[in-house]
Amino acid sequence: MPTIRFRFTTGVVSATQLFVGRGRPKFFSLLVAQIAEAVKSAGVDFGELYKDKTFRKSIQQTFEEFKRWFFEEVVPRNCIQKGDLFLIALDAEVDTDANTTRFYYDTAEVAVWRRVASPCGESGECEAKLRECEGQLVECRKKIENMKSLLS
């Protein structure tokens, strides 16, 4: 049986979505689905591979390694904070002879979307700020009209 390489991607997710969940975290469904697709396209029976305890243990180890790598290297390097979204893509491998999975972290690409806090603070403050801006807008419109009348 072959060794199959493929590109694993998380999609755009938060750390909570990826690593925490009811039952199994989203990471497992993403990894298993992408392995299944890669293995099937190589003509290997994914069902037989998945039945093997060594393979399932390897997926669990891959998850633990990925989580460690993410929190120890990716988070500090990219200044990821609570609420930020990210996408990670990296090369992965399934060895169908040894029934193991592996990530190549040196090929990783990380994109981060920052959560932006409201510039107004609390909701009551936002409403006050909005009223203030509306008042300034009315004043600006009056000034523009006055300037137009002076020019004509």
Side-chain angles (χ1 to χ4, degrees), residues 118-137:
S118 170
C120 301
E122 297 299 318
S123 62
E125 293 175 36
C126 286
E127 291 172 17
K129 184 77 170 171
L130 179 61
R131 282 191 296 277
E132 179 186 328
C133 290
E134 286 172 341
Q136 290 173 354
L137 180 61

Side-chain angles (χ1 to χ4, degrees), residues 47-65:
E48 288 299 315
L49 182 65
Y50 194 73
K51 287 179 188 176
D52 185 74
K53 287 182 183 181
T54 305
F55 180 72
R56 290 196 311 272
K57 184 177 179 182
S58 177
I59 288 177
Q60 181 65 41
Q61 289 172 336
T62 301
F63 170 70
E64 295 301 329
E65 289 171 7

Side-chain angles (χ1 to χ4, degrees), residues 14-84:
S14 69
T16 302
Q17 291 171 321
L18 191 61
F19 297 116
V20 180
R22 293 186 191 139
R24 302 288 272 188
K26 185 175 184 175
F27 175 88
F28 288 102
S29 60
L30 290 169
L31 181 60
V32 170
Q34 291 178 42
I35 288 173
E37 185 178 324
V39 166
K40 286 177 185 176
S41 68
V44 176
D45 182 9
F46 178 72
E48 288 299 315
L49 182 65
Y50 194 73
K51 287 179 188 176
D52 185 74
K53 287 182 183 181
T54 305
F55 180 72
R56 290 196 311 272
K57 184 177 179 182
S58 177
I59 288 177
Q60 181 65 41
Q61 289 172 336
T62 301
F63 170 70
E64 295 301 329
E65 289 171 7
F66 185 87
K67 191 163 67 170
R68 180 202 53 75
W69 171 76
F70 177 79
F71 286 107
E72 291 179 7
E73 295 183 35
V74 175
V75 169
R77 185 178 337 122
N78 294 282
C79 301
I80 296 175
Q81 297 177 8
K82 184 176 181 178
D84 289 347

